[in-house]
Amino acid sequence: MAEIRGLVFDKDGTLFDFNATWSNWARVMLTELAGGSEALAGVLGRAVGFDLDTGVFAPDSPVIAGTPAEISTYLLEHLPGADRAVLVARMNAVSATTEQVAAVPLEDLFERLTARGLRIGLATNDAEEPATAHLASAGVGRFFHFVSGFDSGYGAKPDPGPLLAFARAQGLVPDEVVMVGDSRHDLIAGREAGMRTVAVLTGVAGKEELAPLADAVLPDIGHLPDWIDRQAMAET
């Protein structure tokens, strides 16, 4: 098996704890869209698999792995007369200012990963602009050699396009890259791209759902350096 030379990360649920971060976004977004109506806010929450009372997303929520455009489809069913482009733009604007709750201390982790000479990429189904803002606000933007959102022109996961674009941009072949994510969309994209896949449990999906698509399931991305070192030892 080839030496690991690159890592491409999902963002939400991987770099950042999913429920801790996106429950705040959902509350702000749904309350705004409902115009103060608690009943409508509840309807919109159920449409996207979010419980306003508990602040928890359902495992099949489109917010977990969907693009803003895909999420908007579920909301527009209950917002007659609303404009999709305006809604998506507003969702992206709220996303860009939503405080991200890191899954682990990120700066220390990426110092350790880049010290190994690894190329680092991000492939998210969020838009590129808020994704870049989130990395910057977390203090880790400088570590990323490549950032792709659903609107970057490479497609959206589970399509492998963004992952393959990262490999091409960094001069890597797919089997030198590991896709790290918290959802089936992430892992399917990685497998389709011909990459190794690592699942983490800081999203909504459980181990039993992710394990069939993953070469390894880790509690969080903080365990990556040790896992990478074990792979290197096994290959010598």
Side-chain angles (χ1 to χ4, degrees):
M1 190 171 289
E3 175 188 2
I4 295 172
R5 298 180 57 208
L7 300 171
V8 58
F9 290 87
D10 170 58
K11 179 169 68 73
D12 304 319
T14 302
L15 301 182
F16 305 107
D17 182 278
F18 189 87
N19 272 312
T21 296
W22 291 99
S23 61
N24 293 330
W25 173 87
R27 289 184 188 281
V28 170
M29 197 73 244
L30 297 175
T31 299
E32 177 181 310
L33 291 174
S37 168
E38 291 185 8
L40 180 55
V43 169
L44 294 172
R46 287 189 291 276
V48 294
F50 178 71
D51 188 318
L52 278 162
D53 293 327
T54 64
V56 173
F57 288 89
D60 60 350
S61 167
V63 178
I64 295 170
T67 67
E70 290 168 342
I71 298 164
S72 73
T73 298
Y74 294 87
L75 296 170
L76 288 169
E77 292 180 10
H78 307 282
L79 297 169
D83 181 88
R84 182 186 299 274
V86 171
L87 176 56
V88 169
R90 182 58 185 155
M91 290 167 64
N92 287 337
V94 175
S95 171
T97 59
T98 297
E99 182 179 358
Q100 306 294 297
V101 180
V104 301
L106 294 177
E107 289 190 70
D108 176 68
L109 172 64
F110 283 102
E111 289 280 8
R112 295 169 66 193
L113 293 174
T114 53
R116 288 164 166 78
L118 296 166
R119 308 299 289 177
I120 306 294
L122 184 79
T124 176
N125 281 358
D126 198 357
E128 182 178 337
E129 184 175 350
T132 301
H134 294 157
L135 295 177
S137 67
V140 294
R142 68 188 185 278
F143 296 109
F144 282 78
H145 305 104
F146 178 93
V147 175
S148 174
F150 83 95
D151 55 352
S152 299
Y154 307 115
K157 298 170 296 184
D159 187 288
L163 283 59
L164 293 171
F166 163 71
R168 287 194 302 271
Q170 304 307 311
L172 305 175
V173 295
D175 65 358
E176 295 176 323
V177 180
V178 179
M179 172 67 210
V180 185
D182 69 298
S183 75
R184 288 177 56 85
H185 271 35
D186 299 324
L187 305 179
I188 290 169
R191 287 288 176 91
E192 289 292 321
M195 299 175 178
R196 277 170 275 189
T197 56
V198 169
V200 291
L201 301 177
T202 42
V204 175
K207 181 176 182 179
E208 65 285 348
E209 182 179 351
L210 300 175
L213 294 167
D215 293 291
V217 180
L218 304 178
D220 56 56
I221 56 175
H223 293 260
L224 270 173
D226 289 343
W227 180 82
I228 292 168
D229 290 345
R230 291 196 299 273
Q231 304 312 299
M233 291 177 62
E235 292 162 11
T236 59

